[in-house]
Amino acid sequence: MCLISIQLSQNASYKLILVANRDEQYDRPSLPAHFWPDHPDLLAGKDLSARGTWLGITKQGRIAAVTNSYLMTTQESDQKLSRGNLVMDYLTGTTGPEDYLNQVRQQRTDYNGFNLIIGSSHSLHHYNNILDEINVLQTGNHAVSNATLDTPWPKVTRTKAAMAELASSPLLEEEAIFRIMADRTPPPDDQLPDLPLDLPILRAVSANFIQTERYGTRSTSLILIDHSDRVTFVERSYLPDGTSSDVRFNFQLMAEKK
């Protein structure tokens, strides 16, 4: 169950703080974040199975991220389109967020359940295809896992509280953010989300950082954009054996190409 935390205009140094855990099968091949040769302005990881991505940013400041949504008990279908293409199509296009989401909603049944967040450091939009709702994120503290935006699942409420406290400090420590996202503590059993999973698995996936036999947190991606439009992008990739590695990028946002 993925997790995205967003702080809009909540920190003295950064107008946007976006951090996301990508949870996936360990055997699904992917590449860590990089500038794509065929899209040189795009910084994102790459899913080598469906060729899309789960999160990315462009040099022009377009931002997109996706999580699965489990608001329905319907079994996911392998015949649906890849949700990673929703991120890719926005990041490599020029359509504005509202127009893009109105296009997506016309094809919403072609995908398994998803939460899609798109926009820029100035304005972010959220769309859940099961609820068929488009929301503009207000200035403040937001998070989404695998229900919908700001659903009070324990990992969402705990992360929002921890990130709000962290963002209120003028000195923001990157490692403190990574520690929040790496929390492996499950909530008490009476607070677990109502999902059709065996109790041991439900406990494991209800923590921020997930580690099971075949599935877990593969990476944590952090995007910081300061008030001068300077971007810091740090991605930490994890292996099942507990080792990790980081990639880091810094660049200045530029005007979007016409």
Side-chain angles (χ1 to χ4, degrees):
M1 294 199 295
C2 299
L3 176 64
I4 302 173
S5 169
I6 299 165
Q7 303 283 316
L8 280 171
S9 301
Q10 298 296 289
N11 180 262
S13 299
Y14 299 104
K15 58 183 175 181
L16 176 67
I17 304 167
L18 189 154
V19 61
N21 277 357
R22 179 202 180 211
D23 303 325
E24 185 54 84
Q25 300 290 333
Y26 293 131
D27 61 0
R28 187 174 180 112
S30 61
L31 293 175
H34 61 286
F35 283 104
W36 293 27
D38 50 344
H39 298 288
D41 289 343
L42 169 64
L43 174 59
K46 188 169 189 177
D47 172 20
L48 295 177
S49 293
R51 317 304 293 182
T53 187
W54 53 95
L55 174 149
I57 183 172
T58 69
K59 291 181 179 179
Q60 292 74 34
R62 293 172 77 87
I63 296 168
V66 70
T67 76
N68 298 352
S69 179
Y70 301 129
L71 288 173
M72 298 174 63
T73 57
T74 306
Q75 191 75 16
E76 294 209 335
S77 169
D78 293 337
Q79 305 304 311
K80 300 283 188 174
L81 298 176
S82 171
R83 289 164 284 208
N85 291 335
L86 296 167
V87 176
M88 276 295 300
D89 290 346
Y90 179 74
L91 291 174
T92 58
T94 58
T95 306
E98 291 185 13
D99 288 341
Y100 182 75
L101 291 180
N102 281 320
Q103 293 173 13
V104 168
R105 73 190 310 177
Q106 302 305 313
Q107 300 176 292
R108 63 186 180 276
T109 59
D110 294 340
Y111 301 87
N112 290 311
F114 66 81
N115 291 288
L116 180 63
I117 294 173
I118 63 171
S120 68
S121 62
H122 304 290
S123 176
L124 288 171
H125 292 62
H126 165 264
Y127 177 64
N128 180 289
N129 69 323
I130 298 173
L131 298 176
D132 192 23
E133 291 180 352
I134 296 175
N135 301 292
V136 179
L137 274 66
Q138 302 300 314
T139 295
N141 178 17
H142 302 277
V144 61
S145 181
N146 297 109
T148 190
L149 183 69
D150 293 326
T151 297
W153 283 6
K155 68 163 60 181
V156 170
T157 56
R158 291 191 303 180
T159 300
K160 287 176 68 173
M163 286 298 298
E165 181 177 357
L166 200 63
S168 67
S169 171
L171 298 176
L172 186 73
E173 296 183 15
E174 291 177 10
E175 282 304 317
I177 298 176
F178 281 104
R179 284 194 295 271
I180 291 170
M181 302 302 284
D183 186 357
R184 304 184 187 208
T185 308
D189 286 354
D190 61 355
Q191 297 179 22
L192 293 171
D194 183 16
L195 294 171
L197 299 171
D198 293 338
L199 184 58
I201 296 297
L202 184 57
R203 287 171 177 156
V205 302
S206 295
N208 285 9
F209 190 99
I210 298 171
Q211 188 170 24
T212 70
E213 184 178 354
R214 298 183 177 86
Y215 174 90
T217 302
R218 298 279 301 274
S219 63
T220 301
S221 304
L222 173 62
I223 297 174
L224 303 171
I225 303 180
D226 69 17
H227 298 283
S228 299
D229 286 334
R230 183 75 178 170
V231 176
T232 299
F233 185 114
V234 186
E235 184 173 89
R236 182 163 296 172
S237 298
Y238 306 97
L239 293 176
D241 64 5
T243 59
S244 65
S245 60
D246 291 2
V247 292
R248 173 183 290 271
F249 304 87
N250 297 96
F251 58 94
Q252 184 73 38
L253 293 182
M254 60 183 71
E256 188 155 6
K257 297 175 182 177
K258 301 298 184 182

